[in-house]
Amino acid sequence: MSLFRGARTRLAALQMRIEPGQRDENLARAAKLLSTAREREADLACLPATFATGLNFPTLRTDATAEDGPVVEFLAEQARTLGMHIAAGVLLSSGRDLYDAAVLVGPGGDPLGWYHRACVWAGESEYISTGSPGEVIDTPVGRIGLQVSYDLRFPEASRQYLAQDADLVVCVANLFGPFSHPLRSVCRARAADNECALVFASGVGENRFANMTYVGRSMIVDGLVQDAREDQDADVLAEAAPGSQETVIDADVHWRQRRKVRAGLPFHDDLRSTWTTIHGGRA
């Protein structure tokens, strides 16, 4: 606890290798990474998208789980045992629909909120249902908005979080390596767009159906850095080294201090008073 900055919140991104369809092995791997995050005193640990199964079109129905299914039970048990918040990507079955979803679980084991990926690319729209813009989840570790993978490429997919005063956007992801060149710039832009921190928790491994590897490159970014003349990378708080290894990265933030900084900037007022976006601003 800092007298001037307020309580510290430690964020952790868990970069994890995901073996397609191997749920038990993936859960065991996730448990080890979550334990490492807890050893580092993380308050919020973020796992990649579809961390338990991968996203494989031929086996989607078999791999998917319900909101009260075994994958969510695993996350609840881990959150209770480790005493921390966990954000994770889940291939979710809901009636006839399948969603590339994200869930935030509290340290008591209860899901605090769900989000279904809104940006579905044309080639997967016959398999994955389209979600809708998310709502901020108010928690003791910050006001959190969730995103999944491809959402990151669309500013509109997170613009509502600026209007909702989000402290943090968590993007759980599995993005293909061949399309990853702009990733660092895009993560920094989304954090700056929404005047918040951003955790990009990414998977590594291979999608054998698509014959492409996942990119990794997990990072934690501060979108409130305004002057980087002294350090051009001042907004990148933590970043996984290049390569396909599993790792845990973490960074500390102080929400009280950051909210004071945000209150002194014009973007919130300008959003509400001078222009309109798809998910925010004036009607």
Side-chain angles (χ1 to χ4, degrees), residues 11-13 198-199 218-222 235-239 249-251:
L11 310 173
L198 182 141
V199 173
S218 297
M219 65 188 79
I220 303 173
V221 181
D222 179 0
D235 58 330
V236 180
L237 304 181
E239 189 171 16
I249 60 171
D250 57 80

Side-chain angles (χ1 to χ4, degrees), residues 91-122:
L91 180 59
L92 180 66
S93 174
S94 179
R96 296 174 61 87
D97 291 315
L98 294 177
Y99 293 103
D100 193 4
V103 63
L104 178 65
V105 179
D110 298 319
L112 304 179
W114 282 90
Y115 166 73
H116 303 158
R117 175 156 59 97
C119 298
V120 176
W121 53 275

Side-chain angles (χ1 to χ4, degrees), residues 16-38:
M16 174 184 155
R17 177 170 295 279
I18 301 169
E19 295 295 339
Q22 302 298 311
R23 190 177 70 191
D24 291 344
E25 291 83 350
N26 290 329
L27 295 184
R29 190 175 289 111
K32 291 181 180 179
L33 292 170
L34 288 166
S35 179
T36 298
R38 178 69 277 181

Side-chain angles (χ1 to χ4, degrees), residues 150-170:
Y150 197 41
D151 289 327
L152 191 69
R153 297 302 301 264
F154 298 89
E156 300 86 353
S158 60
R159 177 55 81 189
Q160 74 278 4
Y161 292 140
L162 174 61
Q164 295 174 24
D165 297 322
D167 296 311
L168 171 68
V169 170
V170 175

Side-chain angles (χ1 to χ4, degrees), residues 152-153 173 175 179-189 200 202 215-219:
L152 191 69
R153 297 302 301 264
L175 296 176
F179 307 109
S180 65
H181 174 69
L183 182 58
R184 197 170 193 254
S185 297
V186 170
C187 285
R188 298 166 88 174
F200 176 73
S202 180
V215 64
R217 297 179 63 183
S218 297
M219 65 188 79

Side-chain angles (χ1 to χ4, degrees), residues 124-176:
E124 64 180 356
S125 60
E126 295 182 6
Y127 306 90
I128 299 296
S129 299
T130 301
S132 57
E135 297 291 326
V136 159
I137 306 166
D138 204 350
T139 80
V141 293
R143 292 176 55 79
I144 299 171
L146 299 175
Q147 283 199 311
V148 180
S149 292
Y150 197 41
D151 289 327
L152 191 69
R153 297 302 301 264
F154 298 89
E156 300 86 353
S158 60
R159 177 55 81 189
Q160 74 278 4
Y161 292 140
L162 174 61
Q164 295 174 24
D165 297 322
D167 296 311
L168 171 68
V169 170
V170 175
C171 182
V172 300
N174 263 333
L175 296 176
F176 292 134

